Amino acid sequence: MAIEPLSLGVPKPIIDSLPEADGTAAQDMQRAVEGLETRLNRAIDGAETEAEAAGYVVDALERLEGHYERYDEFIPELRAWGQSPIYAIAWRNLQADLILQIEEYDWLKPHIDRERNLRLVEDGIRFGK
C-alpha cells in the first residue's frame, strides 16, 4: 500500500519566539518533531490499510492534544511563580501546529473523524443518555 508519508516541521515563527541565543530549545523541538515524524511514518508504512494507518495517526493526535493542554496549564502557573512562560508557550504552540500539519493530509481527512467517532462508541460514550 502506498500512502503519502508525513512531513512535519517546526514553524519558523515558533523558533523565532525562543529567546535562547544558543538554539538548544530549537534543536530540542526539531529533534522531537523528527522523532514523531519517524515513528508515524514507520507505523504508517507497517499498516495494511489507510484506516489502520489513520488509527496510528489519531493516537498521535490525541497525545499532541494532551501535551498541548499540559503546556497550556503551565503558562499561568509559571507566571504565578514570576517565571517566564515563553518556553511553555512555544511548546504549546508547536503541539497545536503539529496537529494542524497532520490534519492537512488529504488521505487522512476522511479517516480522522471516523476513527475518533469509532473510539467514542468503543469507549461506551453514548450521546443523549
Side-chain angles (χ1 to χ4, degrees):
M1 174 182 65
I3 297 176
E4 177 186 5
L6 303 181
S7 178
L8 306 173
V10 181
K12 186 169 176 12
I14 292 176
I15 291 175
D16 291 344
S17 73
L18 298 169
E20 202 169 291
D22 68 358
T24 304
Q27 290 173 357
D28 289 345
M29 286 182 167
Q30 289 167 337
R31 277 194 297 270
V33 170
E34 288 169 5
L36 173 64
E37 180 183 296
T38 299
R39 286 188 306 277
L40 280 173
N41 284 327
R42 198 173 295 142
I44 289 168
D45 285 342
E48 294 186 19
T49 65
E50 277 190 6
E52 183 183 348
Y56 295 122
V57 174
V58 170
D59 289 342
L61 288 172
E62 290 175 353
R63 281 191 305 277
L64 289 168
E65 289 165 353
H67 291 261
Y68 175 91
E69 291 172 9
R70 201 166 313 122
Y71 286 118
D72 196 50
E73 291 170 3
F74 288 154
I75 294 168
E77 191 173 320
L78 289 167
R79 285 187 175 132
W81 286 95
Q83 297 179 8
S84 172
I86 191 66
Y87 293 107
I89 291 169
W91 279 95
R92 178 201 60 192
N93 293 347
L94 177 61
Q95 306 311 300
D97 196 271
L98 289 170
I99 290 167
L100 292 174
Q101 288 179 49
I102 291 169
E103 289 177 343
E104 287 178 359
Y105 281 86
D106 288 336
W107 71 267
L108 276 170
K109 289 177 184 177
H111 297 287
I112 290 174
D113 286 338
R114 190 176 311 129
E115 179 67 24
R116 287 182 184 256
N117 289 334
L118 177 66
R119 290 177 185 203
L120 282 174
V121 171
E122 285 179 352
D123 290 343
I125 298 171
R126 302 286 189 256
F127 294 106
K129 290 189 178 185

